[in-house]
Amino acid sequence: MRNRIPQIILIITGLFIVSCRNGDDHDLPSVEERVTGAISELRSDLTAPEFGWKLEYQPTDESGIFLVLLDFDEDGTVSIRSDVADNEGEFYDHTISWRIDNAMGLELIFETYGVFHYLFEQDAATFGAEFEFVYQGKEGENLVFRSASDVTSIPSVLFFEPAASGDAALFARDIAEGLNAFATISPQALQAPVPKQQIVLENSNVSILWSLDPAKRIVTSIMAGSGTDFYQSSFSGVLLDHSSGYKLQDGKLILLEPLQFTLGFTGFTVDEISFTDFSFTGAGFCSASPGSSPVFKGEISGTEPVSMQPSLFDPEGTEFVPFPDYPYSVNSVFIFDESGASLSDPGNIIAEKFPEAVAFLFYYGYVSDTDSLPSFAAGFVLDHGDGTNDFFLREFMPVTTVGNRITVQLTGNYYHTGTPGPGEQAGLEEITDLIFEGGNVYASDFPVEGLTVFNLFNPCNRYEIFLVH
C-alpha cells in the first residue's frame, strides 16, 4: 500500500557511519567498499524470500491500487506478475532485467520495459507512476522504497512485503478484463476512454451512475436515484460528489473510500462489489443494430444483488438542447471515426468529398431571418479560397431530446447558399448518413476552459462530433 512520509530520513546501515577504532581511521573500509557492501546486502534481501515480494502499488493518493508480485533472481532478472489487463495481458507474467545503482542512495531500477514502465506512460507520463525506486531501509520484514522522480512534491512510498505461496490467487484479472470491455462503448477521441456504468441495486430498485477509469483505477460517482431507467421522465435522483481509487482482489472491486449517500430516508453504502458473473448479454445502444454489451452480476458487501452495465447517460449532456440564437458549430477536423482519426484527414471522407470544408454546422432549433433556411439541419461551411464561402446543409426532422439522447432523422431536403458542385449533394448525403447512422447520438460535456463544448457520440459506429455552443 502506498503511504506518505512527511520527512524522509535515509539511513543505510554502515554506509555513512564514521567511527574510530582505537583512534586509527585507517581501519575503516573505503567508500567504494561500503557502497559495494550495501548493494550486496540489498541484492541479497531482494532475492531472499522463497515466494518473492508482494506490492500493492498505488502511484498517487488519488489513484487505485495495482497488485504486483515480484521474484528477483541473482542473474539480474525479475519475474513480475500483475493484474494489469491492458495490451492483451502482456503484463500478467513477464520477466525483465533489474539493477541496483548508487546515485541518490541505493536505487532499484527496472531496466527493460514492463508493467511499471507502462503505468509510467499513462497521461503522457504525468500519471505519477515510476520504474526507479530509492531504497529507504527495512520496516520489520518489509523493504521500503520511495519513487525516484515523482511528478508530485511528495514522493510515493512503497512497501515490499514477503509474498505468501497463495498470493497469486488474489489476482482478479477476469474483472480487470471485463472492466476494460466497457471502454469500447464510450467516447475516446481526444481523450482516454473513461466509461460510465449504471449499478443497479436490485432489491432496492436504486441506480447509481459512475464513471470508471480503468487505467488509473479511479471511480467517480455522478448520481443516484430510484428506478432503473435514466431516460424515464419519472426518474429523479441526487447528484453525488465522490471519487475513490479502487483495487481488484479476490473476485472483488474494493473502493478505497466507500461511497455513502441518502436517497429519500434510506442510507446506502457501497464499499465493495463481489462479482459472480460476467457476460455480453446487456442491451445495446444502437437501435439499428441492437447487439449486446458487457454486464457484471454480483453483490454489494455480500448483502444485496447488483448488476453493472454500461451507460451513456450524462447529466451535463442534458444541457445540449435546441437553441434558437445560433447554430452549434466546430472546425470540420473535429469529427472522428471509430479509430479516432479525423474525417478531414487526407484520404478520409470529408477531405475526399468536401476538400473546401472548414466548419461543421448543426442547426438545432435555430431561427434565422431567412425563411428558406431550415431550423434543424447539419452540414458544412465551404471556403472557396477567394474570400467567399457557402453553406451546404441537409435537413433533419425536429425531435424532442430525451435526457442527453438526441434523435436525428434525416430528410431528403438540402439547402445551399450557392450552387452545388457535381456530386456535392450525394457527398453530403453519404457523410451525414454515416455520421448519424442509427439515428441517435448521445451528448456529453467536454471540458474546455472558457468554452462550452459538447461531444456527440454515435454508439452504432463510435463516430464522434465535438460542437461548440
Side-chain angles (χ1 to χ4, degrees), residues 171-338:
F171 284 131
R173 292 166 171 171
D174 55 341
I175 298 176
E177 291 176 2
L179 294 176
N180 281 355
F182 284 85
T184 63
I185 310 175
S186 62
Q188 59 183 348
L190 303 185
Q191 60 190 336
V194 181
K196 294 184 179 69
Q197 286 98 19
Q198 178 181 1
I199 297 88
V200 179
L201 284 61
E202 296 179 359
N203 290 344
S204 302
N205 193 37
V206 166
S207 291
I208 301 168
L209 179 70
W210 72 25
S211 63
L212 183 147
D213 185 339
K216 298 179 182 177
R217 297 202 170 171
I218 297 174
V219 164
T220 302
S221 298
I222 301 169
M223 67 180 297
S226 299
T228 60
D229 188 352
F230 293 120
Y231 293 95
Q232 286 288 338
S233 58
S234 59
F235 184 89
S236 62
V238 294
L239 295 178
L240 304 175
D241 184 16
H242 181 270
S243 182
S244 172
Y246 67 86
K247 64 180 179 179
L248 305 174
Q249 286 189 23
D250 198 23
K252 302 176 182 178
L253 184 154
I254 303 170
L255 296 181
L256 305 185
E257 298 289 339
L259 167 64
Q260 296 180 321
F261 63 93
T262 299
L263 197 60
F265 298 101
T266 304
F268 295 88
T269 297
V270 179
D271 53 1
E272 61 181 41
I273 302 177
S274 299
F275 291 113
T276 57
D277 181 66
F278 175 78
S279 64
F280 282 91
T281 57
F285 294 92
C286 179
S287 57
S289 177
S292 60
S293 61
V295 174
F296 271 116
K297 294 286 187 178
E299 291 182 332
I300 288 182
S301 303
T303 59
E304 175 154 10
V306 300
S307 64
M308 176 189 290
Q309 55 200 24
S311 177
L312 293 175
F313 188 77
D314 185 332
E316 293 181 330
T318 62
E319 296 179 12
F320 187 90
V321 294
F323 194 71
D325 294 344
Y326 51 83
Y328 294 90
S329 63
V330 75
N331 188 302
S332 58
V333 301
F334 290 102
I335 306 175
F336 299 92
D337 64 19
E338 75 282 358

Side-chain angles (χ1 to χ4, degrees), residues 106-234:
L106 298 186
E107 291 186 38
L108 171 61
I109 299 174
F110 294 98
E111 293 186 303
T112 48
Y113 192 82
V115 65
F116 293 107
H117 303 77
Y118 175 77
L119 294 175
F120 172 82
E121 293 173 340
Q122 300 307 304
D123 261 7
T126 64
F127 174 32
E130 183 60 276
F131 54 87
E132 298 181 1
F133 306 104
V134 179
Y135 182 52
Q136 302 292 276
K138 294 181 180 179
E139 188 174 292
E141 293 185 326
N142 300 336
L143 301 182
V144 183
F145 295 83
R146 67 171 172 85
S147 60
S149 57
D150 222 326
V151 294
T152 62
S153 59
I154 304 176
S156 311
V157 178
L158 303 90
F159 293 86
F160 284 31
E161 305 174 22
S165 60
D167 279 345
L170 296 174
F171 284 131
R173 292 166 171 171
D174 55 341
I175 298 176
E177 291 176 2
L179 294 176
N180 281 355
F182 284 85
T184 63
I185 310 175
S186 62
Q188 59 183 348
L190 303 185
Q191 60 190 336
V194 181
K196 294 184 179 69
Q197 286 98 19
Q198 178 181 1
I199 297 88
V200 179
L201 284 61
E202 296 179 359
N203 290 344
S204 302
N205 193 37
V206 166
S207 291
I208 301 168
L209 179 70
W210 72 25
S211 63
L212 183 147
D213 185 339
K216 298 179 182 177
R217 297 202 170 171
I218 297 174
V219 164
T220 302
S221 298
I222 301 169
M223 67 180 297
S226 299
T228 60
D229 188 352
F230 293 120
Y231 293 95
Q232 286 288 338
S233 58
S234 59

